[in-house]
């Protein structure tokens, strides 16, 4: 057995069991096959595990070579087999570890990661390809994975698998993916065909050279034979010219015979027949060296594995927050969260005090509370100092309706606030309120709430005023605002039409009473 043939049988056997999702191990030149499907065990008539060797000099296993029972059983099994199977890859991860390795946390740390699963579906199409040429036959197994309409590189041997359930996944369009796999198989076969074709062409060229050499010699022999006779003819003709008349008849007979021999050889068409026979044999060799390829789908496997949806809860001294990422264990890819402000993917995550994920560029401090927020949360300005402040520090005045920071607004109660311009304090009960809802003394500007204004404010002439701004007339005992009294030198001065206060006797007199003096 040629070494090349042994290698081909070995590769075919190992690929066969790998495509059946068996466990293949090697120990000192002996291959141990475990987890063999029951249907193949029944077909072969032997239960696993199998211990196989591909070298007759190695002991301790069943030899697999040309004509062996196992090799024939594998080939017959592939010819008869054609089914669809469902496999689920049993994959589990450490979510905290996967996130920590790929995402840098700036001002926070992971509190916990809650994971959910969503299944991805791969379709594996296993084709058996047989290449027949001359007296040789080569068989190849090709497993092609299709993921969402694209050819995927996938090594199923890296994962443990269990029998899947149809209820777990939506299989999708198998026919479309099968056509994609067939197109990919054509590309794979093209490479194999070029290699085998080169080998066939090399053998064919040798055969054609052999045929051409053989028939070339025959044609050359005929041509040399004619050349020899022609040389004899020429020599006889020269002799005929030099010979006496009584001896020419004998030479003439010889010349005629030589010409007749040339004519016979030429008329026999031996050269043309030889060339035609040569062409026939060359075409026959070309036909014999033709390559026959047959492809057969022997198995379709629906493989599904989880994509992990990770809800990452993070915390720092000021707030808690979360963001969601997806981890694909097949390609070991983790999607990155998006910055709440600029909406870009971020590898360095900072926690906004409102619980949002932010990039470093979009994180800023509130100039009121000094907490860190993303730009989306620091989108307010104080109407007094015009500083950028967060939403929590932004309070709206119930008086004027404008927004202010905590430094320029006062709390009235749990539901009301007032800016410094709209804030008022009652002179009676000292309670805070909105200025527009208070009563104001027209003289001193003191303000009182509605309840206190009824108790404190008194009628002074035709207006209401606070006690501090009113004065009784000493004569009629009525109240008037202090601002309406004028100082006079004597009580006899009654030329003023306003209330008066005598600078001499200190009496305060109203206009009506003053006229009596």
């Amino acid at each position: 057995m040629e070494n090349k043939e042994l290698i081909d049988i070995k590769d075919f056997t190992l690929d066969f069991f790998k495509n059946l999702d068996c466990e293949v191990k090697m120990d000192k030149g002996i291959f141990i096959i475990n987890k063999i499907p029951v249907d193949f065990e029944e077909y072969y008539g032997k239960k696993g595990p199998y211990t196989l060797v591909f070298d007759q000099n190695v002991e301790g296993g069943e030899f697999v070579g040309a004509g062996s029972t196992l090799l024939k059983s594998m080939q017959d099994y592939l010819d008869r087999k054609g089914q669809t199977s469902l496999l689920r890859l049993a994959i589990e991860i450490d979510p905290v570890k996967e996130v920590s390795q790929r995402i840098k946390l700036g001002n926070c740390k992971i509190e916990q990661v809650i994971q959910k699963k969503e299944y991805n579906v791969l379709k594996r199409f296993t084709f058996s390809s047989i290449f027949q040429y001359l007296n040789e036959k080569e068989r190849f197994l090709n497993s092609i994975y299709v993921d969402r309409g694209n050819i995927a590189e996938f090594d199923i041997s890296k994962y443990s698998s269990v029998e899947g359930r149809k209820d777990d996944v939506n299989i999708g369009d198998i026919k479309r993916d099968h056509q994609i796999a067939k197109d990919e198989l054509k590309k794979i076969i093209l490479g194999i065909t070029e290699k085998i074709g080169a080998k066939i062409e090399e053998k064919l060229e040798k055969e054609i050279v052999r045929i051409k050499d053989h028939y070339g010699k025959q044609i050359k022999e005929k041509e040399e034979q004619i050349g020899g006779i022609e040389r004899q003819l020429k020599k006889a003709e020269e002799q005929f010219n030099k010979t006496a008349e009584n001896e020419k008849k004998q030479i003439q007979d010889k010349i005629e015979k030589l010409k007749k021999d040339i004519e016979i050889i030429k008329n026999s068409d031996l050269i043309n027949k030889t060339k035609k026979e040569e062409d026939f044999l060359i075409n026959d060799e070309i036909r014999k060296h033709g390559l026959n390829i047959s492809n057969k789908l022997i198995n379709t496997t629906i493989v599904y594995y989880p994509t992990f949806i990770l809800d990452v809860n993070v915390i720092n001294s000021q707030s808690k927050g979360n963001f969601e990422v997806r981890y694909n264990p097949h390609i070991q890819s983790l999607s990155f969260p998006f910055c709440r402000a600029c909406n870009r993917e971020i590898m360095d995550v900072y926690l906004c005090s409102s619980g949002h994920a932010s990039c470093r560029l979009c994180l800023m401090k509130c100039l009121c509370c000094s907490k860190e927020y993303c730009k989306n949360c620091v989108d307010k300005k104080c109407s007094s100092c015009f500083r950028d402040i967060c939403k929590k520090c932004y309070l709206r005045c119930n008086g004027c309706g404008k927004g202010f920071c905590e430094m320029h607004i006062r709390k009235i109660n749990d539901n009301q606030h007032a800016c410094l311009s709209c804030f008022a304090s009652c002179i009676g009960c000292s309670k805070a309120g909105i200025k527009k809802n208070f009563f104001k003394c027209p003289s001193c500007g003191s303000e009182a709430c509605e309840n206190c204004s009824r108790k404190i404010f008194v009628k002074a002439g035709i207006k209401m005023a606070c006690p501090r701004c009113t004065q009784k007339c000493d004569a009629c005992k009525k109240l008037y605002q202090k601002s309406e009294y004028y100082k006079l030198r004597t009580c006899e001065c009654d030329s003023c039409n306003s209330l008066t206060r005598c600078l001499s006797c200190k009496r305060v007199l109203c206009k009506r009473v003053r006229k009596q003096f």
Side-chain angles (χ1 to χ4, degrees):
M1 181 188 297
E2 294 180 359
N3 189 45
K4 173 68 170 61
E5 186 179 1
L6 178 64
I7 293 172
D8 289 343
I9 291 174
K10 177 182 175 182
D11 292 342
F12 170 77
T13 303
L14 297 180
D15 286 343
F16 173 84
F17 285 110
K18 286 179 181 178
N19 280 292
L20 289 181
D21 300 317
C22 302
E23 184 182 89
V24 180
K25 294 181 179 178
M26 187 185 74
D27 183 23
K28 297 178 180 179
I30 300 173
F31 289 86
I32 303 167
I33 315 298
N34 288 298
K35 298 181 180 180
I36 302 162
V38 176
D39 61 342
F40 181 77
E41 289 180 333
E42 293 175 351
Y43 185 79
Y44 183 46
K46 181 181 177 181
K47 289 189 176 182
Y50 300 159
T51 54
L52 310 177
V53 296
F54 300 94
D55 187 347
Q56 289 179 318
N57 297 322
V58 178
E59 297 181 353
E62 178 183 356
F63 174 70
V64 183
S68 67
T69 306
L70 179 59
L71 181 61
K72 188 175 185 306
S73 297
M74 288 188 293
Q75 292 171 340
D76 292 343
Y77 179 83
L78 291 176
D79 291 336
R80 297 175 57 183
K81 192 73 171 172
Q83 68 173 20
T84 300
S85 54
L86 194 63
L87 287 179
R88 177 174 65 84
L89 302 186
I91 301 175
E92 296 298 334
I93 63 167
D94 181 351
V96 175
K97 180 182 177 182
E98 298 298 341
V99 173
S100 300
Q101 286 179 342
R102 293 169 173 82
I103 295 178
K104 182 181 178 181
L105 300 177
N107 62 346
C108 54
K109 63 181 180 180
I110 295 176
E111 184 181 29
Q112 66 172 339
V113 179
I114 301 170
Q115 70 175 27
K116 293 182 290 185
K117 292 180 181 178
E118 181 181 275
Y119 288 105
N120 289 340
V121 177
L122 286 170
K123 299 178 184 72
R124 181 182 68 183
F125 299 93
T126 303
F127 296 93
S128 172
S129 301
I130 299 174
F131 292 77
Q132 287 181 305
Y133 56 96
L134 299 176
N135 294 321
E136 296 185 40
K137 179 190 286 189
E138 291 190 46
R139 185 189 293 264
F140 297 90
L141 287 180
N142 291 292
S143 291
I144 299 173
Y145 290 88
V146 180
D147 182 9
R148 300 171 191 172
N150 297 309
I151 301 299
E153 293 292 332
F154 194 83
D155 186 1
I156 199 170
S157 62
K158 293 180 179 179
Y159 310 100
S160 60
S161 59
V162 296
E163 187 175 351
R165 298 184 306 171
K166 290 183 179 179
D167 296 339
D168 285 346
V169 291
N170 178 17
I171 294 175
D173 189 355
I174 290 184
K175 288 184 178 180
R176 180 182 65 108
D177 291 337
H178 177 230
Q179 185 59 49
I180 293 170
K182 284 172 64 178
D183 293 339
E184 182 65 18
L185 180 64
K186 290 177 183 177
K187 299 176 184 177
I188 296 171
I189 287 177
L190 181 61
I192 299 173
T193 304
E194 288 176 352
K195 291 180 181 178
I196 295 177
K199 184 165 62 172
I200 293 173
E201 188 176 352
E202 184 180 351
K203 289 184 177 181
L204 178 60
E205 285 179 357
K206 289 180 180 179
E207 287 299 314
I208 290 174
V209 168
R210 182 185 64 79
I211 292 169
K212 285 185 175 181
D213 286 346
H214 173 71
Y215 286 96
K217 287 178 181 179
Q218 290 186 7
I219 293 170
K220 187 177 180 181
E221 286 176 1
K222 297 296 180 184
E223 290 174 345
E224 286 177 352
Q225 186 179 359
I226 293 172
I229 295 171
E230 287 177 343
R231 284 193 297 273
Q232 290 179 25
L233 177 62
K234 185 178 180 181
K235 188 176 180 181
E237 287 175 344
E238 289 176 355
Q239 188 180 359
F240 178 81
N241 294 329
K242 295 177 181 180
T243 305
E245 288 293 332
N246 58 347
E247 295 178 0
K248 283 185 177 180
K249 187 175 185 307
Q250 185 179 359
I251 298 173
Q252 181 66 35
D253 292 339
K254 184 179 179 181
I255 291 171
E256 292 297 328
K257 185 178 181 302
L258 290 173
K259 287 181 178 181
K260 192 174 181 180
D261 289 343
I262 293 172
E263 192 68 25
I264 290 170
I265 294 172
K266 288 183 177 180
N267 291 337
S268 66
D269 202 18
L270 289 175
I271 295 176
N272 289 335
K273 286 181 179 179
T274 304
K275 287 182 177 179
K276 287 180 179 179
E277 189 176 342
E278 178 187 0
D279 292 339
F280 172 79
L281 289 177
I282 288 174
N283 289 330
D284 187 51
E285 286 298 327
I286 291 172
R287 180 185 58 78
K288 288 179 181 179
H289 284 75
L291 176 62
N292 182 34
I293 304 171
S294 62
N295 298 307
K296 184 178 179 181
L297 176 66
I298 61 173
N299 180 258
T300 300
T301 305
I302 309 300
V303 183
Y304 64 96
Y305 64 92
T307 288
F308 295 91
I309 304 169
L310 307 178
D311 185 14
V312 184
N313 295 316
V314 291
I315 188 172
N316 61 20
S317 59
Q318 297 178 347
S319 62
K320 292 182 178 182
N322 70 301
F323 55 86
E324 185 179 281
V325 294
R326 289 172 174 262
Y327 179 69
N328 186 324
H330 161 43
I331 56 176
Q332 296 185 346
S333 170
L334 183 78
S335 66
F336 294 108
F338 288 88
C339 172
R340 183 65 174 268
C342 64
N343 204 35
R344 291 184 298 181
E345 283 190 337
I346 47 176
M347 296 177 63
D348 296 348
V349 176
Y350 289 82
L351 182 61
C352 158
S353 291
S354 295
H356 304 147
S358 171
C359 66
R360 188 69 189 93
L361 296 176
C362 292
L363 196 70
M364 58 190 300
K365 281 189 176 183
C366 170
L367 296 176
C368 186
C369 63
S370 296
K371 291 181 179 179
E372 290 184 316
Y373 289 93
C374 64
K375 288 182 179 179
N376 277 9
C377 295
V378 186
D379 61 346
K380 305 293 182 182
K381 284 185 180 292
C382 173
S383 296
S384 178
C385 61
F386 303 106
R387 294 189 299 174
D388 293 320
I389 54 176
C390 65
K391 293 177 181 178
K392 292 181 180 179
C393 293
Y394 183 80
L395 300 171
R396 193 170 293 280
C397 173
N398 292 95
C400 63
K402 296 179 181 179
F404 296 87
C405 65
E406 290 180 345
M407 293 179 61
H408 296 100
I409 203 165
R410 298 292 180 265
K411 182 178 179 181
I412 297 173
N413 53 45
D414 292 337
N415 299 319
Q416 288 187 315
H417 293 81
C419 65
L420 299 182
S421 300
C422 297
F423 181 82
S425 179
C426 178
I427 60 172
C429 61
S430 299
K431 289 183 178 179
I434 299 173
K435 189 173 288 187
K436 66 180 181 180
N437 297 330
F438 274 44
F439 290 89
K440 185 177 181 180
C441 173
S443 180
C444 65
S446 298
E447 295 164 322
C449 63
E450 187 177 356
N451 292 332
C452 293
S453 65
R454 296 192 189 101
K455 301 174 185 177
I456 298 174
F457 280 24
V458 294
K459 189 173 182 180
I462 60 173
K463 298 180 180 179
M464 299 293 291
C466 64
R468 292 179 295 182
C469 296
T470 57
Q471 180 75 54
K472 279 186 180 181
C473 174
D474 291 334
C476 67
K477 307 302 183 185
K478 290 184 179 181
L479 288 169
Y480 293 94
Q481 291 185 50
K482 289 182 178 180
S483 59
E484 295 188 16
Y485 287 94
Y486 288 87
K487 296 178 181 180
L488 300 176
R489 187 164 297 280
T490 63
C491 293
E492 286 77 21
C493 180
D494 57 359
S495 60
C496 183
N497 293 324
S498 301
L499 298 176
T500 60
R501 178 181 179 85
C502 181
L503 295 177
S504 178
C505 66
K506 308 299 184 186
R507 295 181 70 189
V508 178
L509 304 173
C510 66
K511 183 177 181 180
R512 182 177 58 82
V513 174
R514 192 177 68 248
K515 290 182 178 180
Q516 299 176 6
F517 289 88

